[in-house]
């Protein structure tokens, strides 16, 4: 009887969708959850065999897959289809991949749902809107359609305003990804899609275990804080313990190590055995920024830095049409320079040398395109590299060129430096689908490029992925919470916070914060408790100033600032005085002081400085 009802339910869902005019190829297997390949009609006709081969791979993996194609004119058409499939109780949709020329929602009045993006919406709409597929994967968000962009090259852009009555937070119902290769003049997007799908079919026939990882940190990120970098390394050890044992490998690259660290990173990305590259730094749509000018105390390198700086400023002034003599005099006065510093600013040999130097500092598109990158997953924790709405964007070259990369995670606009960088990342080593991981970490700007169903093989992968989508049994997650594993405990805390009332889950979160020796578990408990702002949370927040994990201390300063209560001024001053060696914590503490009661803050500063005799001795 149950099977009859489920079949009837699926029949009515498909009938209602086909009534909308879309062509739908149904799953050929029965599975607990399903997946949808959404593609424009022209791409489907040109890449039919490759798309069907990709569907076959997914179904061999036990994931029933739809192919849905049409001449799409508005994002709403696709959203409605995905919503209906998600509501199918017999086999709810767990995710989708948008292939080819799929309309791009450009979201407005929703900047509070980004991590950092803040721009006046009086600026040109394509610049001041956020390209985001949260439109397709978070069905609770409500939008008002504004208009389609009619500018040549931007016809896929559709502008929406987030309604005031909409939920004002992200809670993805399904995961989503894009197969939209970057293209330059003369290139065929369709051919790149065919090549990518052929590669995925080949690679997904193999099983990859996550036992080799590369972590890199670029210049200028998180105030160049060594404590921040060390803290993340310690947290990753709790999330990926096998990588730190014989048989596993994890390498940490830092811009301080080399004048041009990109060559070291590129060599690592091309190693045959590397599985996952987690790259943090600044970025643009076409660059991963790796190095600044060398940090040095020696006279000669310092002079070279000043010379490069002056030459670049003089050349920029010339390009801008400014008065070069005036610019020169201003620099001579402000920096105490003589005429010799300006002599070779426009010398062709000097221009060529500086150009090569600048190219070597950062990863360019040419470094990635067809470079033989071997890492199956890359996470580019940078601004703008995932600007998939543009024709040409750097992150797309990882999966969509002659590399062995399957999936990239990147951001379509600017992203906050002080994010929880490795949130639930350890689940990837347990066989978690990339798409399921995205549901925990996504802001408006966070996107998957390539196959979102990819995962690293473990024996329990299928059960874990099905449980995270379907299992709402409190007993199951409480049992998982007892596992002596940082990643399972963190996921269980997340799930229990969704299933239990505040009264039930708050004591659990408090207990795991105070008793766990895993940095990632304490951080998960801290973050989940912050949603309640109750007695348990305030107790944890007071204690966070002494946490060994730098990121918890840094996040605590954020929360102290947001709360602004006089009860927390003492904590804030303690951060300022006793954690000055953690650059990013100190930066946030200084910034936060302007929001505190100045009279009480001054009294507390005087009191704590007098109490702290070593600090007084240092200052004297």
């Amino acid at each position: 009887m149950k099977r009859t009802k489920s079949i009837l339910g699926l029949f009515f869902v498909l009938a209602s969708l086909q009534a909308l005019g879309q062509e739908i190829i149904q799953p050929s297997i029965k599975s607990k959850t399903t997946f949808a390949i959404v593609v424009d009609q022209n791409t489907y006709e040109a890449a039919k065999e490759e798309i069907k081969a990709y569907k076959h791979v997914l179904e061999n993996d036990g994931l029933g897959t739809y192919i849905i194609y049409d001449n799409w004119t508005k994002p709403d058409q696709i959203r409605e289809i995905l919503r209906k499939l998600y509501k199918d109780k017999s086999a709810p949709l767990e995710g989708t991949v948008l292939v080819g020329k799929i309309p791009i929602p450009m979201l407005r009045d929703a900047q509070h749902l980004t991590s950092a993006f803040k721009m006046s919406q009086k600026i040109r709409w394509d610049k001041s809107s956020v390209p985001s597929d949260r439109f397709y994967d978070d069905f609770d968000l409500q939008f008002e359609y504004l208009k389609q962009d009619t500018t040549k090259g931007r016809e896929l852009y559709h502008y929406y305003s987030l309604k005031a009555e909409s939920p004002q937070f992200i809670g993805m119902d399904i995961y989503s990804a894009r197969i939209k290769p970057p293209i330059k003049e003369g290139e065929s997007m369709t051919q790149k899609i065919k090549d990518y799908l052929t590669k995925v079919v080949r690679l997904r026939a193999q099983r990859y275990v996550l036992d080799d990882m590369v972590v890199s940190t670029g210049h200028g990120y998180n105030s160049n804080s060594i404590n921040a970098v060390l803290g993340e390394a310690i947290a990753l050890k709790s999330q990926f313990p096998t990588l730190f044992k014989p048989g596993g490998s994890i390498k940490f690259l830092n811009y301080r190590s080399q004048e041009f660290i990109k060559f070291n990173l590129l060599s690592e990305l091309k190693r045959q055995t590397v599985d996952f590259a987690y790259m943090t730094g600044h970025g643009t749509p076409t660059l991963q920024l790796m190095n600044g000018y060398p940090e040095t105390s020696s006279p000669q390198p310092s002079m070279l830095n000043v010379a490069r700086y002056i030459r670049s400023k003089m050349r920029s002034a010339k390009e801008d049409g400014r008065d070069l003599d005036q610019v020169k005099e201003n620099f001579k006065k402000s920096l105490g320079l003589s005429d010799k510093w300006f002599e070779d600013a426009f010398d062709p040999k000097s221009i060529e040398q500086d150009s090569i130097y600048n190219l070597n500092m950062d990863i360019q598109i040419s470094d990635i395109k067809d470079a033989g990158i071997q890492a199956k997953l890359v996470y580019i924790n940078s601004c703008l590299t995932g600007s998939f709405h543009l024709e040409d964007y750097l992150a797309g070259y990882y999966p969509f060129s002659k590399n062995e990369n399957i999936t990239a995670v990147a951001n379509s606009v600017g992203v906050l430096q002080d994010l929880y960088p490795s949130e639930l990342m350890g689940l990837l080593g347990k066989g978690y689908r990339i798409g399921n991981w995205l549901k925990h970490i996504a802001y408006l700007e966070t996107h998957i490029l390539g196959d979102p169903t990819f995962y690293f093989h473990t024996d329990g992968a299928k059960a874990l992925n099905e449980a995270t989508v379907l299992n709402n049994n409190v007993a199951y997650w409480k049992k998982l919470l007892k596992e002596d594993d940082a990643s399972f405990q963190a996921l269980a805390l997340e799930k229990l916070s969704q299933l239990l009332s505040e009264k039930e889950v708050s004591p659990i979160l408090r207990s795991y914060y105070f008793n766990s020796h895993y940095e990632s578990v304490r951080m998960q408990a801290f973050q989940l408790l912050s949603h309640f702002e109750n007695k348990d949370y305030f107790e944890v927040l007071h204690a966070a100033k002494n946490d060994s994990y730098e990121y918890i201390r840094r996040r605590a300063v954020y929360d102290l600032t947001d709360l602004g209560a006089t009860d927390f001024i003492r904590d804030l001053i303690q951060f300022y005085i006793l954690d000055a060696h953690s650059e990013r914590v100190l930066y946030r503490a200084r910034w936060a002081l302007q929001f505190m009661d100045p009279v009480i803050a001054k009294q507390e500063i005087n009191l704590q400085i007098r109490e702290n005799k070593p600090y007084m001795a240092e200052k004297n």
Side-chain angles (χ1 to χ4, degrees):
M1 184 64 180
K2 288 184 178 179
R3 177 171 173 79
T4 303
K5 286 184 177 179
S6 66
I7 293 174
L8 286 173
L10 178 61
F11 172 79
F12 286 120
V13 169
L14 294 175
S16 65
L17 293 179
Q18 288 169 329
L20 298 174
Q22 286 78 37
E23 295 294 333
I24 300 173
I25 299 175
Q26 301 178 30
S28 59
I29 66 166
K30 182 174 174 56
S31 56
K32 292 182 179 179
T33 62
T34 54
F35 183 75
I37 302 169
V38 177
V39 58
D40 69 277
Q41 185 157 351
N42 288 339
T43 299
Y44 176 73
E45 293 298 339
K48 185 183 303 183
E49 296 308 314
E50 290 81 3
I51 292 170
K52 287 184 176 180
Y54 175 50
K55 167 185 162 75
H56 182 67
V57 165
L58 301 184
E59 295 193 329
N60 274 350
D61 203 31
L63 186 60
T65 300
Y66 298 92
I67 298 174
I68 308 169
Y69 60 96
D70 197 358
N71 288 317
W72 310 105
T73 57
K74 286 180 66 175
D76 300 83
Q77 298 169 291
I78 298 171
R79 191 184 203 218
E80 185 58 27
I81 291 171
L82 297 176
R83 189 203 304 267
K84 286 181 180 293
L85 292 176
Y86 170 70
K87 289 183 175 180
D88 175 19
K89 301 293 185 183
S90 62
L93 191 73
E94 71 166 58
T96 186
V97 64
L98 309 172
V99 183
K101 295 184 177 180
I102 301 297
I104 299 172
M106 303 290 287
L107 305 186
R108 301 178 64 75
D109 305 311
Q111 294 186 13
H112 55 292
L113 299 184
T114 69
S115 65
F117 183 83
K118 302 293 178 284
M119 184 181 292
S120 169
Q121 293 192 158
K122 294 180 181 179
I123 295 172
R124 207 173 81 184
W125 278 31
D126 63 304
K127 301 292 185 183
S128 59
S129 304
V130 181
S132 180
D133 286 336
R134 298 299 83 77
F135 180 90
Y136 291 123
D137 54 37
D138 189 339
F139 302 129
D140 295 316
L141 296 178
Q142 299 176 39
F143 300 95
E144 177 186 356
Y145 185 76
L146 300 177
K147 66 176 182 179
Q148 180 180 8
D149 200 322
T150 56
T151 307
K152 185 177 180 181
R154 299 204 297 262
E155 295 88 350
L156 288 177
Y157 296 8
H158 292 259
Y159 297 97
Y160 289 85
S161 170
L162 181 69
K163 292 183 178 180
E165 59 268 29
S166 168
Q168 301 297 312
F169 59 89
I170 292 172
M172 293 166 59
D173 298 291
I174 63 172
Y175 56 79
S176 66
R178 287 267 176 175
I179 296 179
K180 181 182 178 292
I183 55 169
K184 294 185 178 181
E185 188 174 352
E187 293 183 328
S188 165
M189 178 186 290
T190 302
Q191 186 58 51
K192 283 191 170 186
I193 290 172
K194 293 174 68 170
D195 292 343
Y196 171 75
L197 292 174
T198 300
K199 175 180 71 174
V200 169
V201 169
R202 170 174 58 84
L203 294 176
R204 288 293 299 266
Q206 305 175 53
R207 291 182 170 183
Y208 298 97
V209 176
L210 205 174
D211 57 12
D212 193 325
M213 181 174 173
V214 173
V215 182
S216 71
T217 305
H219 170 266
Y221 202 84
N222 282 338
S223 305
N224 295 329
S225 172
I226 292 176
N227 267 359
V229 173
L230 291 175
E232 286 316 305
I234 295 170
L236 287 172
K237 187 174 183 179
S238 72
Q239 294 177 293
F240 296 98
T242 58
L243 298 184
F244 291 80
K245 297 177 181 178
S249 173
I250 183 166
K251 295 184 180 181
F252 294 90
L253 280 66
N254 191 280
Y255 74 94
R256 295 176 176 87
S257 303
Q258 296 288 336
E259 189 170 9
F260 303 121
I261 194 66
K262 85 167 186 180
F263 295 110
N264 301 71
L265 178 56
L266 289 170
S267 293
E268 290 297 319
L269 291 172
K270 296 176 185 179
R271 276 194 300 108
Q272 288 290 332
T273 59
V274 68
D275 301 304
F276 176 27
Y278 167 38
M279 299 172 283
T280 290
H282 294 298
T284 74
T286 58
L287 294 173
Q288 281 180 250
L289 304 180
M290 301 302 299
N291 283 97
Y293 289 156
E295 296 179 3
T296 178
S297 59
S298 301
Q300 188 62 30
S302 298
M303 293 170 69
L304 288 174
N305 284 344
V306 174
R308 290 190 191 98
Y309 173 78
I310 291 299
R311 291 196 295 266
S312 69
K313 291 299 181 182
M314 291 300 293
R315 292 165 190 161
S316 295
K318 184 177 181 180
E319 290 175 3
D320 295 342
R322 287 181 280 161
D323 186 331
L324 295 184
D325 289 334
Q326 186 61 54
V327 172
K328 178 179 175 181
E329 288 303 314
N330 289 342
F331 277 118
K332 287 172 66 176
K333 183 178 179 180
S334 63
L335 299 179
L337 302 177
S338 64
D339 286 337
K340 72 171 187 176
W341 291 90
F342 301 86
E343 290 175 354
D344 62 347
F346 302 107
D347 177 72
K349 185 177 180 181
S350 172
I351 292 172
E352 181 182 13
Q353 290 175 342
D354 287 347
S355 176
I356 294 172
Y357 190 93
N358 290 333
L359 282 171
N360 288 340
M361 282 202 296
D362 305 313
I363 291 179
Q364 323 281 328
I365 283 176
S366 57
D367 295 319
I368 299 301
K369 183 180 181 181
D370 302 336
I373 303 297
Q374 297 295 314
K376 301 302 176 283
L377 170 64
V378 298
Y379 174 27
I380 311 170
N381 184 23
S382 306
C383 296
L384 297 163
T385 55
S387 299
F388 67 90
H389 59 300
L390 304 178
E391 286 195 348
D392 201 29
Y393 65 104
L394 182 139
Y397 285 98
Y398 280 94
F400 306 129
S401 61
K402 293 177 183 177
N403 294 317
E404 296 293 281
N405 174 253
I406 295 174
T407 309
V409 181
N411 300 290
S412 62
V413 296
V415 63
L416 186 70
Q417 292 187 55
D418 291 315
L419 292 181
Y420 182 13
S422 59
E423 182 175 2
L424 294 171
M425 188 183 286
L427 291 170
L428 298 174
K430 309 292 185 185
Y432 219 47
R433 293 195 192 278
I434 310 303
N436 282 328
W437 180 53
L438 178 77
K439 291 173 69 175
H440 298 290
I441 67 168
Y443 291 84
L444 282 189
E445 68 266 20
T446 323
H447 290 85
I448 293 175
L449 309 166
D451 178 14
T453 71
F454 174 68
Y455 62 93
F456 293 102
H457 178 73
T458 66
D459 290 338
K462 189 173 189 294
L464 177 63
N465 283 290
E466 287 181 351
T468 199
V469 175
L470 298 173
N471 197 325
N472 291 324
N473 187 307
V474 170
Y476 174 89
W477 296 109
K478 282 188 174 181
K479 181 180 179 181
L480 194 67
L481 185 59
K482 294 178 181 178
E483 293 278 342
D484 186 19
D485 185 283
S487 299
F488 285 150
Q489 287 182 6
L491 177 61
L493 290 177
E494 177 85 19
K495 290 294 185 178
L496 289 172
S497 294
Q498 297 170 9
L499 298 172
L500 297 177
S501 67
E502 175 183 338
K503 183 178 179 181
E504 293 171 304
V505 78
S506 183
I508 298 174
L509 297 172
R510 178 192 176 280
S511 175
Y512 271 81
Y513 175 80
F514 282 109
N515 294 297
S516 178
H517 59 280
Y518 294 131
E519 292 79 10
S520 55
V521 173
R522 293 201 307 277
M523 182 56 220
Q524 203 70 27
F526 177 95
Q527 180 167 271
L528 293 167
L529 266 177
S530 69
H531 299 157
F532 300 137
E533 294 188 4
N534 59 15
K535 181 181 177 181
D536 288 332
Y537 173 62
F538 292 144
E539 187 177 351
V540 166
L541 184 55
H542 279 300
K545 62 180 177 291
N546 296 316
D547 201 287
S548 61
Y549 184 19
E550 184 271 353
Y551 184 69
I552 288 180
R553 302 199 304 275
R554 198 187 332 157
R555 275 289 298 271
V557 178
Y558 264 91
D559 288 8
L560 291 171
T561 308
D562 290 344
L563 290 167
T566 56
D567 291 349
F568 295 106
I569 290 179
R570 181 173 181 79
D571 295 306
L572 183 62
I573 302 306
Q574 284 184 320
F575 275 119
Y576 185 81
I577 293 175
L578 301 179
D579 207 2
H581 57 289
S582 299
E583 295 89 340
R584 197 63 182 176
V585 174
L586 182 62
Y587 167 79
R588 295 302 312 177
R590 284 174 172 166
W591 189 84
L593 279 172
Q594 64 187 305
F595 299 101
M596 299 298 172
D597 185 309
V599 174
I600 298 176
K602 185 176 181 180
Q603 291 172 350
E604 191 60 48
I605 289 171
N606 291 333
L607 176 63
Q608 290 196 38
I609 288 177
R610 286 198 302 272
E611 287 179 349
N612 195 320
K613 294 181 181 179
Y615 183 87
M616 285 290 287
E618 179 184 333
K619 292 301 176 184
N620 291 334

